[in-house]
Amino acid sequence: MTALLEVEALEISFGGVKALHGVGLTLATGEILALIGPNGAGKTTVFNCISGLYRPQSGQIRVAGRDILGLKPHRVAASGIARTFQNIELFRHLSTVDNLLLGRHLYLKTGLFSGMALLGPWTPAAKEEMRHREKVEEIIDFLDLQAVRSQRVGNLPYGTQKVVELGRALAMEPKVLLLDEPAAGMNLEEKHDLRIWIEDISKLFGIAILLIEHDMQFVGELADRVIALNYGECIAQGTPDEVRSHPDVLRAYLGTPSAEVKQ
Amino acid sequence: MDMKRSYYRDLRLFDTWPLGLWLVVCAALLALVPFFAGNYLMYVLGYIAINAMVALGLNVLVGYTGQISLGHAGFFAIGAYATVLLAKAGVPIPLALVAAAFIAAAFGFLLGLPALRLEGPYLAVITLGFGLTVENIFAKAEFFGGATGPSVPPFSLSLWPGFSREQNLYWLIMLCAGGTILAIRNLMRTRVGRAFVAIRDSDVAAACAGVDLTWYKTLAFAVSAAFTGVAGGLFAFHLGQVDPTTFNLMLSILFLAMVVIGGVGSILGPLLGAVTISLLNLKLKGLKLADFEQIPLAGKEIAGFISRHFMETGMANIQFIVYGGILVLIMVFEPLGLYGLWIRAKRYWRTWPL
């Protein structure tokens, strides 16, 4: 397996706070890698650096061998990276279909004037729209979103919104998918569906997945490898079981045992 | 149940055929106006249509892209001056209007640049400054005709044999307004329009989905300015003169009021807003003391109160008091604008008699 996404020695600080200190990871095609760590460990910061929202002070980020560090977010997206957000960032006033269609933005070509000239099904703009709607409907079928396809996403339940966001990322047909706490706030049934979808995305579509998640059971069932972060540094990596029982990880989550407990 | 069998169903201009029929009937009626109506009705409808073009254009920026502009009178002025000066130089009027659209769009791009870094009140102040600057450059520079403005060449375009000047102008205005509605409606259901709305709802997510924020934010300003510019050009012919003092801050605010009163982020909203504000503008302009006496019940008392407490010269400003009062009432009772009223009425009839 070749590394699709390579992140090396990321350093970023905000004011006096070192948010990331030498964080590195590699992600191979078809692999699912989980990032875990207590709140404020720097997990989302890693995502923001990869997707171009933050500019790390030093380090390297490559996708399929191409350097993407310092690119603007839309250029990063064009290089094959899609993401979801911890606090849902959907286009609230658009329908599910339109949210997913926006995910096709990179593939659509209709410009200002050809868009204004959409006068009937024979115009190029309409033909292109219909072609991409077909792709979007496939994703809607895959994620079971038919019931809400024409509804405004702002009115949908939280769990469904998370799925729509996943759908939008999928519509981008990425090489690498970054999922920021995809299961947060979902009930058991939703989590179960989500786990199967993520497995399918990885196995059927061959998309490499990097995921942040607090639910260790979810991570254990899904991830091939886990990296644990604390205070902006990698403290452990390996299989889910190895990381779960790593003493540094236990200390990060539970603190050091007090003298009484030791006795 | 009504099943959709093609992806085009989702894309269609009108959701249902009765709506399409209604719009065609309305368009036909408006097109036939010159054949049976006098000049005054055409003047009023033309005035409304010009304002509607501006409101629709401004709505692309304010309603759909989530930016703000207090300087659209500037684009309106740029369009008016560009059209008039080009027409005076011998450029055919339709070509001059197209050129005005591009010139206004170019200034839109420029004004869009600060929007990349600023938002909300800060952007409002920048656009305010733009409007004031443009107004004063036009009013003070000799090249633009100074305080009296340039003379407007006669409107010489002929669209129908035997039409008078007013009839031809009316048709051109309606054609441009109809084109604006269609163009913006189409734009909003394709890639560029979706990118605009995406920026409004979540610019971070839009960027991460591949939308170039720099390009689309400035493009929204340019598109908005272009429609406003064309409207300005038509306005110059409609009024028959270009007076630099008309393009003031008050006008920019009225344009914004049309969008907000009508309801942001729709096509019908700005149209309703433009109709409302234009009619208020026309009706309230000639407001006299005698008009207040006609108010039922308390007319005499109101007129008496006004004549006792207002200065003679202040009478001209009473229109703004009434005006302001109406705006406040609309916003208090229908925060979503007139479009919200429409949506509510539609829902009421759909569920009637519940």
Side-chain angles (χ1 to χ4, degrees):
Chain A
M1 282 203 285
T2 52
L4 188 57
L5 174 69
E6 295 164 274
V7 177
E8 279 171 33
L10 282 191
E11 299 272 346
I12 186 168
S13 46
F14 303 108
V17 183
K18 245 194 160 45
L20 291 181
H21 184 52
V23 172
L25 58 88
T26 58
L27 183 63
T29 315
E31 193 183 20
I32 302 178
L33 173 64
L35 271 182
I36 64 163
N39 287 328
K43 305 179 298 288
T44 300
T45 309
V46 173
F47 272 27
N48 287 346
C49 287
I50 296 174
S51 50
L53 296 174
Y54 293 163
R55 190 164 294 197
Q57 273 110 25
S58 67
Q60 287 197 307
I61 303 173
R62 281 185 301 272
V63 178
R66 212 167 70 90
D67 189 13
I68 60 159
L69 188 82
L71 291 185
K72 286 196 163 184
H74 69 273
R75 309 272 302 163
V76 173
S79 75
I81 292 186
R83 70 170 290 180
T84 64
F85 296 83
Q86 188 178 353
N87 307 309
I88 301 170
E89 291 279 352
L90 281 171
F91 310 123
R92 298 179 47 82
H93 299 90
L94 291 179
S95 67
T96 303
V97 174
D98 281 332
N99 267 275
L100 266 56
L101 273 169
L102 194 106
R104 304 295 297 166
H105 185 85
L106 288 165
Y107 298 94
L108 287 158
K109 291 189 180 56
T110 304
L112 188 64
F113 295 109
S114 53
M116 285 180 182
L118 197 167
L119 295 170
W122 65 88
T123 49
K127 282 184 181 157
E128 190 186 55
E129 280 285 311
M130 287 189 277
R131 233 180 9 254
H132 287 272
R133 266 163 201 271
E134 215 170 310
K135 177 77 201 169
V136 163
E137 297 294 345
E138 278 172 26
I139 294 168
I140 287 180
D141 277 347
F142 173 67
L143 294 177
D144 244 342
L145 289 168
Q146 297 93 338
V148 297
R149 64 183 292 285
S150 322
Q151 281 182 40
R152 274 187 177 205
V153 295
N155 302 335
L156 299 178
Y158 187 83
T160 316
Q161 291 196 11
K162 289 229 133 182
V163 179
V164 175
E165 217 189 8
L166 175 64
R168 185 180 64 198
L170 278 182
M172 292 167 66
E173 295 184 55
K175 296 194 194 93
V176 178
L177 185 55
L178 312 179
L179 302 174
D180 199 343
E181 300 196 18
M186 284 189 165
N187 62 34
L188 274 178
E189 199 183 333
E190 287 170 331
K191 272 186 193 175
H192 176 79
D193 287 344
L194 182 69
R195 210 194 72 218
I196 292 171
W197 283 326
I198 293 178
E199 265 169 7
D200 281 352
I201 292 166
S202 163
K203 301 274 152 12
L204 298 178
F205 306 154
I207 296 173
I209 294 171
L210 180 59
L211 121 141
I212 294 174
E213 190 47 66
H214 282 296
D215 183 336
M216 276 313 286
Q217 196 194 340
F218 190 81
V219 169
E221 287 168 344
L222 205 53
D224 302 313
R225 274 192 307 133
V226 176
I227 292 181
L229 292 183
N230 196 26
Y231 293 115
E233 291 182 52
C234 291
I235 52 171
Q237 61 175 308
T239 65
D241 286 330
E242 282 167 16
V243 171
R244 210 180 335 209
S245 51
H246 194 287
D248 287 346
V249 175
L250 289 176
R251 199 172 304 129
Y253 274 98
L254 304 172
T256 29
S258 68
E260 261 173 72
V261 177
K262 269 180 193 159
Q263 287 167 0
Chain B
M1 210 184 117
D2 174 37
M3 295 271 274
K4 294 184 177 175
R5 289 197 177 75
S6 127
Y7 293 125
Y8 192 69
R9 273 299 300 272
D10 271 352
L11 259 179
R12 286 194 323 186
L13 211 44
F14 324 112
D15 228 7
T16 54
W17 67 264
L19 180 65
L21 187 69
W22 263 110
L23 289 175
V24 169
V25 169
C26 286
L29 279 178
L30 281 175
L32 290 175
V33 163
F35 294 104
F36 57 79
N39 283 352
Y40 182 69
L41 183 63
M42 286 197 295
Y43 174 83
V44 172
L45 289 175
Y47 179 67
I48 292 176
I50 288 170
N51 279 331
M53 283 177 71
V54 179
L56 286 163
L58 182 56
N59 184 43
V60 169
L61 188 68
V62 176
Y64 289 124
T65 319
Q67 310 295 306
I68 187 128
S69 168
L70 282 178
H72 258 54
F75 297 123
F76 199 61
I78 289 171
Y81 275 85
T83 311
V84 166
L85 294 179
L86 285 170
K88 268 173 86 173
V91 178
I93 287 168
L95 219 59
L97 283 170
V98 173
F102 279 98
I103 292 169
F107 281 95
F109 262 117
L110 287 180
L111 185 61
L113 292 176
L116 303 172
R117 300 191 163 274
L118 302 170
E119 48 186 47
Y122 306 97
L123 184 59
V125 171
I126 291 239
T127 53
L128 174 81
F130 168 79
L132 293 177
T133 312
V134 171
E135 179 198 347
N136 281 293
I137 288 175
F138 281 136
K140 306 282 153 64
E142 207 66 62
F143 176 75
F144 296 115
T148 50
S151 62
V152 178
F155 184 78
S156 52
L157 198 65
S158 174
L159 294 171
W160 188 263
F163 260 18
S164 69
R165 195 195 79 93
E166 285 82 8
Q167 287 168 318
N168 280 317
L169 180 59
Y170 173 83
W171 261 27
L172 182 66
I173 292 174
M174 286 302 160
L175 275 176
C176 289
T180 303
I181 295 175
L182 203 60
I184 290 180
R185 171 91 172 96
N186 282 337
L187 185 66
M188 295 322 295
R189 59 205 175 115
T190 49
R191 174 170 170 268
V192 176
R194 258 196 311 269
F196 287 165
V197 178
I199 289 173
R200 177 195 67 192
D201 281 2
S202 167
D203 54 352
V204 175
C208 288
V211 175
D212 183 349
L213 295 184
T214 310
W215 169 245
Y216 282 98
K217 272 191 186 174
T218 46
L219 188 65
F221 269 92
V223 169
S224 179
F227 287 111
T228 310
V230 175
L234 293 169
F235 182 72
F237 287 112
H238 189 249
L239 222 57
Q241 60 164 11
V242 182
D243 175 0
T245 54
T246 42
F247 307 110
N248 53 16
L249 175 61
M250 184 67 189
L251 187 65
S252 288
I253 293 175
L254 280 185
F255 287 153
L256 197 60
M258 288 177 199
V259 177
V260 176
I261 291 253
V264 291
S266 66
I267 298 283
L268 191 60
L271 280 180
L272 294 175
V275 172
T276 312
I277 297 266
S278 307
L279 288 179
L280 280 178
N281 236 350
L282 290 173
K283 293 290 164 203
L284 295 179
K285 206 157 244 169
L287 209 59
K288 284 184 213 58
L289 203 53
D291 297 324
F292 287 94
E293 284 172 10
Q294 316 220 323
I295 299 174
L297 298 176
K300 279 263 184 308
E301 285 75 10
I302 293 175
F305 179 83
I306 290 172
S307 59
R308 243 177 293 126
H309 295 283
F310 282 76
M311 289 180 296
E312 197 65 34
T313 49
M315 281 302 293
N317 291 324
I318 284 189
Q319 58 157 311
F320 290 114
I321 297 174
V322 177
Y323 207 146
I326 293 175
L327 300 194
V328 169
L329 287 179
I330 293 180
M331 290 326 285
V332 166
F333 289 106
E334 200 53 71
L336 291 178
L338 299 168
Y339 184 64
L341 205 65
W342 164 253
I343 295 278
R344 279 225 309 252
K346 225 164 62 171
R347 200 172 297 152
Y348 175 79
W349 285 113
R350 191 168 287 161
T351 54
W352 194 82
L354 287 175

